[in-house]
Amino acid sequence: MSNSASAESAENPGVESNLPASQLTFALIGNPNTGKSTLFNALAGMKARVGNYPGVTVEKKVGNFQYQNHKIELIDLPGTYSLSPRTADEMVSVRVLLGSQEQTEIPDAAICIVDATHLQRHLYLLCQLLGLGLPTILVLNMWDEVQKQKLEIDVKKLEQRLGIPVVAACARSGLGVPELKEKMIALIANHQSTDKSKRNHLELFPENFQLARAEISKIIQEKTGQQIPEYLAERLLLDINGETEREVLKGNEAVAEILRLKREELKQNGCPIPAIEPRVRYGWAREMLGGIIQQPELPVEQRGDYLDRWLTHRIWGPAVFAVIMLLMFQAIYTWAGPLMDGIEIIQDAISRLITGAMSPGALRSLLTDGIVGGVGSVVVFLPQILILFLFIAILEDCGYMSRAAFLMDRIMTKVGLSGKAFVPMISSFACAVPGIMAARTIEDRKERFVTILVAPLMSCSARLPVYLLMINAFIPQQSIFGGFVSLQAFVLFCFYLLGVLVAIPVAWILKKTWFKGEVAPFVMELPNFKWPSFRVVFYRVWDRGRSFLKQAGTLIFLTTIIVWAAGYFPGDRTELNQVMAQLESENLSKEDTAREVLQERSRELSSQLLNDSFLGTAGHFIEPVVEPLGWDWRIGMGAIASFPAREVIIGTLGTIYSLGGDVNEEDTGLMAKMHSARKADGTPVYNVPVALSVMVFFALCAQCGATLMVMRQETNSWKWPLFSFTYMTTLAYLGAWTTYQIGIAILPTV
Amino acid sequence: MPTLKTLNVGDQATVSHIDGADAIAMRLMEMGLFEGESIRFVGKAPLGDPLEFEICGCKISLRSSETERVHITS
């Protein structure tokens, strides 16, 4: 069948030559799990402009590519099952396609991507799209699956029946992509002569419905002065309590009443609202597909069925889930080790190079302590973060993530959430910012708000550096559970669990107080299992890694410089610089007593200077508050400095211990510096209870400016970010206090 | 009239209609639960809920409370 699909393209030669060489805009639309993003990348490459549509947080993703002499702009619309907008976000896609979305021109045509193995259901969206009247191309994706399942789809016949170009494709392998590009140009050429306002659109509704729709348009114009497109009038009739009602009626009760009467009248005349829509659209889909698909006599054994039986099994399901999670954290340790060592070696080499080339002073301190030291100690965690995201991307792409939601739904309903909230929660393990934005898929407002407020408790990637630093430095390298699991990996696993365990009562309390109400519905697709695609996984990991580095490179970099400055100024460093210059001069041998005297003096001076700095002043000021947590003023200072982002604590500690003269000069790496840090009375600053207390604090606190900003955007109020910051900081303080107090009571002091 | 809730694991049935006209009913219809479609009860989640069904060749998950609204003929 693939042959007939590709041979077909040869029948439209040279059409594109009539087209003026202007920019053409295509909108790409499709159900979730159809490979839409993969097709987007296959067409437009990996460089996409990403932004937001004004007023909502729907991601606006636009890509550009050149085909022959045409500049093509591709707008990626969010994956959706239908064009029946229930929320402001779903309305964006409809507006883009109608050309009424701000800052977006009406597309010249639409590309509708469907899963060829589930044609009937996916034609529902196509049917609505054709109702809009845009020139449209249908892409039958997952053609490899069609062949594997020995389905036969008559592409040419389908093309004739639908009256639009149809392309058989496999976005993962690139099959059909050249043909699609060719047909995109040919489609525009064919529609060039037609006036945009006079385009035909697919009409399936009975006559009385059409009349009612026209009447509603007229009434809206008379009563509210708005001229709405026919499609929106249709949605007004069909979507009871839908987004169209909210946006068009704006609470106009008189019009709402007319609408109610119209719906009732239609119902009496054999046109039940909303059932009429699926009836006509599925009827159409069946008609279009009749005799098009030949299935083999005996269904090929569905690998997915077999896998599903195991992965959602009463015992094996949760067991496999737990094993996958544990494996993930184990891998973060074993695979990333050598890479981390490499980065640390490079960092040391650069610092040494700068120290060797410059004389002591503010600029050298800024370069080695501020820039190389601070950013370097964040970048060193990149390998681990990439490995974590590699796991997440693979699990998403192979279809396991929705099974995890399926497994977790019952538990989530216990706290008044659904398995759907589990996906934003899982995303929040990477970063709460996309996690909170992913909560937009939850239709129910109450559930959405609770999810948003609880999502930042999940252990995001910004906490990972904090955990890793403390675990690597203070948790012994030994095996537990009969040598099978490393203690370090187990502690990391426990901290990921901590956020979840705390989130449960918090969500439960929120659902019992501010957000009382029924549990939201749970209708979710469980996509077929497939081998994860290298391209898809690579793109996701690349994307996340790049954004982490960008963050490390901008926000963290800036904060590091500020923290360095706060620790460096004010203070007279003339004497310290002289001492350091003397120390570095070559005529001092290692055993020299003069050298020891100088080292002692430099430590004293550095310590005094940091103590007197702006940062030191702030740290001392809050010391009485953090003392019950087992912290000294330096950790308190680090917590203050990390308000913009948690991972900044690493840079802060790095800077603090490089600046402070109280660490051994021969030490390399922050961990060693932390181990050798001493309090004024000579006892170590850090021991296991202190490390755990710091970790608990950072697990539960709201030290992330970006999260709080997104929260404000999503809840459209400062109230909720403020609330989150307060409750999380309180929990973090109480948690850290409890941990330290229990820790010193049961653990032997190191 | 039997509903999806009365099915046993492995059973096959035909959807006849869905109660209600709200967003949930619409979502169910958009996911393919529409009159005349054949539906199969694939299995349950480990804690007994939600339930997995196959419709139009796709697997979807529904809570047992939602399955009460889907009327079927065997």
Side-chain angles (χ1 to χ4, degrees), chain A residues 536-552:
Chain A
V536 174
V537 170
F538 176 79
Y539 180 72
R540 282 187 198 162
V541 173
W542 165 268
D543 205 44
R544 302 279 160 88
R546 194 181 51 175
S547 70
F548 177 80
L549 268 192
K550 263 188 187 170
Q551 225 182 335

Side-chain angles (χ1 to χ4, degrees), chain A residues 124 127-128 131 201-211 213 231 234-235 237-238 266 271-281:
Chain A
Y124 190 90
C127 184
Q128 287 187 319
H201 61 82
L202 183 67
E203 182 60 77
L204 297 167
F205 288 99
E207 207 174 334
N208 58 349
F209 184 91
Q210 293 179 35
L211 286 172
R213 187 175 61 197
Y231 187 75
E234 190 171 303
R235 300 273 36 118
L237 276 173
L238 291 168
L266 283 169
C271 220
I273 307 288
I276 181 74
E277 185 175 27
R279 187 176 297 168
V280 297
R281 299 208 192 278

Side-chain angles (χ1 to χ4, degrees), chain A residues 368-388:
Chain A
T368 58
D369 301 327
I371 297 173
V372 178
V375 170
S377 50
V378 175
V379 172
V380 74
F381 295 101
L382 192 65
Q384 280 150 318
I385 282 158
L386 291 181
I387 290 170
L388 176 66

Side-chain angles (χ1 to χ4, degrees), chain A residues 174-434:
Chain A
L175 171 86
V177 175
E179 187 194 344
L180 171 62
K181 287 182 180 173
E182 213 167 289
K183 288 199 172 179
M184 283 162 70
I185 302 299
L187 179 73
I188 300 292
N190 288 337
H191 280 78
Q192 212 188 349
S193 47
T194 340
D195 186 349
K196 278 187 185 179
S197 60
K198 286 175 190 155
R199 280 172 181 162
N200 286 334
H201 61 82
L202 183 67
E203 182 60 77
L204 297 167
F205 288 99
E207 207 174 334
N208 58 349
F209 184 91
Q210 293 179 35
L211 286 172
R213 187 175 61 197
E215 226 174 301
I216 286 295
S217 289
K218 226 176 99 194
I219 290 163
I220 295 290
Q221 181 154 28
E222 279 166 12
K223 303 268 180 185
T224 71
Q226 306 169 70
Q227 192 152 20
I228 58 166
E230 196 174 62
Y231 187 75
L232 286 188
E234 190 171 303
R235 300 273 36 118
L236 269 182
L237 276 173
L238 291 168
D239 301 340
I240 300 166
N241 297 323
E243 180 64 18
T244 324
E245 259 181 49
R246 278 189 287 279
E247 288 192 17
V248 175
L249 303 189
K250 296 189 183 84
N252 187 327
E253 270 307 312
V255 185
E257 185 55 30
I258 295 170
L259 203 57
R260 268 195 289 276
L261 291 172
K262 261 287 152 258
R263 286 177 185 148
E264 191 53 38
E265 188 189 314
L266 283 169
K267 193 180 168 188
Q268 303 301 327
N269 294 306
C271 220
I273 307 288
I276 181 74
E277 185 175 27
R279 187 176 297 168
V280 297
R281 299 208 192 278
Y282 277 122
W284 175 82
R286 280 177 197 163
E287 196 185 312
M288 290 297 116
L289 294 175
I292 296 271
I293 308 171
Q294 302 298 320
Q295 269 178 307
E297 292 268 315
L298 288 163
V300 182
E301 198 220 325
Q302 293 239 321
R303 188 177 32 141
D305 243 25
Y306 183 73
L307 268 175
D308 245 357
R309 224 184 305 149
W310 283 94
L311 295 176
T312 61
H313 185 270
R314 211 158 43 88
I315 294 151
W316 300 119
V320 169
F321 183 63
V323 166
I324 289 175
M325 293 294 125
L326 217 75
L327 185 77
M328 187 158 96
F329 296 114
Q330 184 89 334
I332 288 169
Y333 271 96
T334 48
W335 300 354
L339 291 166
M340 283 170 71
D341 294 345
I343 291 172
E344 252 168 28
I345 289 168
I346 293 169
Q347 189 192 326
D348 272 2
I350 295 173
S351 279
R352 225 163 278 163
L353 214 69
I354 296 169
T355 312
M358 293 172 76
S359 54
L363 183 62
R364 192 180 89 175
S365 176
L366 170 69
L367 287 175
T368 58
D369 301 327
I371 297 173
V372 178
V375 170
S377 50
V378 175
V379 172
V380 74
F381 295 101
L382 192 65
Q384 280 150 318
I385 282 158
L386 291 181
I387 290 170
L388 176 66
F389 286 132
L390 180 72
F391 266 86
I392 290 178
I394 291 172
L395 292 179
E396 269 176 358
D397 197 48
C398 73
Y400 185 76
M401 276 305 206
S402 59
R403 265 72 183 186
F406 182 71
L407 289 178
M408 300 311 288
D409 183 65
R410 187 62 193 273
I411 293 169
M412 300 296 280
T413 51
K414 295 266 185 246
V415 293
L417 298 173
S418 73
K420 265 185 200 162
F422 199 74
V423 177
M425 295 291 185
I426 289 177
S427 314
S428 299
F429 279 101
C431 176
V433 173

Side-chain angles (χ1 to χ4, degrees), chain A residues 82 84 86 118 120-121 274 278-279 282 286 305 308 406-407 409-410 413 418 519-524 526, chain B residues 21 24 26-27 29-32 34-35 37 40 45-47 49-50 52 57-63 66:
Chain A
S82 75
S84 325
R86 274 172 282 255
H118 299 137
Q120 178 163 319
R121 204 197 70 202
R279 187 176 297 168
Y282 277 122
R286 280 177 197 163
D305 243 25
D308 245 357
F406 182 71
L407 289 178
D409 183 65
R410 187 62 193 273
T413 51
S418 73
V519 171
F522 188 63
V523 188
M524 187 182 66
L526 301 165
Chain B
I24 301 170
M26 274 312 284
R27 169 51 63 86
M29 291 181 200
E30 286 165 11
M31 299 292 281
F34 184 66
E35 59 192 36
E37 279 309 322
R40 185 167 67 93
L47 297 168
D49 201 18
E52 181 178 349
C58 302
K59 297 206 180 90
I60 61 165
S61 104
L62 300 176
R63 285 215 192 99
E66 288 148 9

Side-chain angles (χ1 to χ4, degrees), chain B residues 13-30:
Chain B
T14 305
V15 178
S16 70
H17 71 275
I18 295 169
D19 285 337
D22 57 354
I24 301 170
M26 274 312 284
R27 169 51 63 86
L28 290 173
M29 291 181 200
E30 286 165 11

